[in-house]
Amino acid sequence: MKLRFALGAAAAVTATALALTGCAQSSTTAANAGDTGAKTVKVFISGDTNIQNLWEKDLGPAFEKANPGYKVQVTIDLHGEHDAQTLAKLSSSIEQKKAPDFDLVDGGFVAKASAANLLAAVDATKISALGSVPADVVKAGGTGGIPYRGSSVLLAYDTKAVATPPKTLDELLAWIKANPGKFTYNSPKSGGSGGAFVATVLDKYVPADARQKMTVGYEKDLESTWDQGFAELKGLTPYVYQKGVYPNGNQQTLTLLASGQISMAPVWSDQFTTGVANGSIPSTVKAVQISNPSFTGGAAYLGIPANTPNMDAAVKLANFVLEPAQQAMIVKDISGYPAISLDKLPAELKEKFANADTNNLRKGYFDQMSKDINNLWDQKVPGQ
């Protein structure tokens, strides 16, 4: 059995860009090994702190232990707020034939960087585990994308307040209006769970052929198909938490839900499952997938800059992350979906995904289309 990702969910600036951007947060799993002769692999992350912890506390140390003489250095741009600058710097480094600021990137802009020929082309001859990843998932990342984990957006609800959760988008919209102040979602620019809710409401009104085009390329002329959806979202403002409070980031939404201030919200599957496991989310809070349409989700991709001087080390780390032991680590530590086939994982982890309904997940919008959605939401939706 192969777990398939039907669609998706951010990127960052590097430590050396810190002086220019003033935003990157840098840390290492070990001291910089420049004086010891060790080879340092610079990993650049986009995403939330759970992904930062995954690299700093789990994947990085495991790689160092398995490969004496190697060190992993981690840099993060939270929520990938500076993707444009990161891509510009990477492009400039290639044009000027200079080494990039990182050797491996874990970010939502990987497919875009791949399309711009900024990443090294990869296939199963270079990244051997790609042969165990569904072909459509590999294809979605472009020639330079390396899928290594996945997740989906779900509808979380507090069973103390909600006996039967909505099953469809229309039922969810009706519930929001019937229960003022008990639902919210984070602004789409601040996190993918809110972005998935927004995209799903827009998609209620977007013709299938138009949406398909907007998932694979930049089709600005088709953005008028979002008008009805944005009007719907604007109409919800009086009914969301405190008549128009939209949290900043996926985690803030979960915090409101866990504290009982709201009763329902869209959440990332991995963050939600991890929160339930560590007790930060009460056991009374459950999560389901809706339909007609469902929320989005998908694979997260790694990429290797085409001009990194540490190509061999970056390839070595990417292959390591796709090994069964590290894929199991991703499942256990952040409740992520494995990228490789389930038959390569321990039996207890296979059972965890035995009932995973991934066929209802939909592919997200093309990167630039998503950025336009975020900007238009800022202009059209929040209460003034």
Side-chain angles (χ1 to χ4, degrees):
M1 171 183 173
K2 291 186 177 181
L3 183 64
R4 302 176 62 84
F5 310 117
L7 78 137
V13 289
T14 63
T16 54
L18 182 58
L20 296 177
T21 65
C23 60
Q25 304 171 32
S26 179
S27 55
T28 59
T29 60
N32 193 310
D35 296 331
T36 67
K39 180 167 290 190
T40 298
V41 187
K42 298 177 181 178
V43 176
F44 179 42
I45 303 172
S46 74
D48 280 319
T49 53
N50 64 324
I51 305 305
Q52 180 182 12
N53 290 335
L54 172 68
W55 279 100
E56 290 183 346
K57 298 180 180 180
D58 301 317
L59 297 178
F63 181 73
E64 293 174 356
K65 182 177 180 181
N67 297 277
Y70 285 83
K71 300 296 178 184
V72 176
Q73 178 178 305
V74 176
T75 306
I76 182 170
D77 176 28
L78 199 60
H79 307 315
E81 294 180 355
H82 303 86
D83 290 0
Q85 295 96 313
T86 303
L87 282 168
K89 279 182 65 69
L90 179 56
S91 178
S92 178
S93 72
I94 289 178
E95 291 174 0
Q96 298 176 22
K97 298 182 179 179
K98 295 181 179 180
D101 293 326
F102 50 87
D103 307 308
L104 187 72
V105 56
D106 176 356
F109 65 86
V110 166
K112 189 172 183 178
S114 178
N117 297 316
L118 302 180
L119 303 179
V122 294
D123 57 26
T125 63
K126 181 175 286 187
I127 308 295
S128 58
L130 287 180
S132 183
V133 179
D136 59 339
V137 177
V138 177
K139 184 177 180 181
T143 59
I146 306 166
Y148 86 103
R149 61 176 173 85
S151 58
S152 62
V153 174
L154 303 172
L155 180 66
Y157 64 100
D158 188 343
T159 58
K160 293 186 297 183
V162 183
T164 303
K167 296 180 179 179
T168 67
L169 177 62
D170 283 343
E171 289 181 7
L172 171 57
L173 296 175
W175 188 94
I176 294 169
K177 293 176 181 178
N179 297 271
K182 295 300 182 180
F183 173 90
T184 194
Y185 59 97
N186 57 273
S187 59
K189 189 176 291 183
S190 70
S193 60
F197 176 77
V198 169
T200 301
V201 173
L202 298 183
D203 287 347
K204 177 182 177 182
Y205 303 98
V206 176
D209 59 340
R211 188 182 192 283
Q212 194 282 328
K213 292 177 182 178
M214 290 190 283
T215 63
V216 296
Y218 189 41
E219 303 284 348
K220 192 169 182 63
D221 291 346
L222 296 176
E223 292 184 359
S224 60
T225 61
W226 293 337
D227 289 349
Q228 284 181 275
F230 276 121
E232 178 96 62
L233 290 164
K234 176 67 175 177
L236 290 179
T237 296
Y239 301 96
V240 302
Y241 179 60
Q242 295 186 354
K243 297 183 178 181
V245 172
Y246 300 95
N248 181 32
N250 306 308
Q251 187 57 52
Q252 285 192 15
T253 303
L254 279 171
T255 299
L256 288 174
L257 185 63
S259 63
Q261 296 181 69
I262 59 174
S263 301
M264 194 176 293
V267 299
W268 276 113
S269 59
D270 49 359
Q271 287 185 303
F272 175 79
T273 305
T274 299
V276 171
N278 64 28
S280 62
I281 298 175
S283 60
T284 55
V285 179
K286 307 296 183 182
V288 296
Q289 181 58 273
I290 63 169
S291 61
N292 298 324
S294 63
F295 289 136
T296 57
Y301 294 83
L302 305 176
I304 302 172
N307 57 333
T308 176
N310 293 326
M311 182 66 68
D312 289 346
V315 168
K316 188 179 187 71
L317 178 54
N319 270 304
F320 177 81
V321 169
L322 283 169
E323 291 176 356
Q326 284 64 249
Q327 290 287 288
M329 185 182 295
I330 289 169
V331 173
K332 292 177 180 178
D333 294 351
I334 65 167
S335 301
Y337 296 164
I340 63 175
S341 60
L342 283 177
D343 59 10
K344 296 183 179 296
L345 299 181
E348 66 271 17
L349 296 185
K350 293 181 189 178
E351 294 175 3
K352 185 170 185 176
F353 295 100
N355 297 316
D357 183 7
T358 61
N359 293 323
N360 283 332
L361 303 181
R362 302 175 303 111
K363 185 177 180 180
Y365 279 96
F366 186 69
D367 181 69
Q368 188 57 51
M369 303 299 300
S370 292
K371 285 182 169 54
D372 285 0
I373 288 176
N374 296 346
N375 292 332
L376 288 168
W377 185 91
D378 287 343
Q379 297 168 27
K380 295 174 177 289
V381 176
Q384 301 299 323

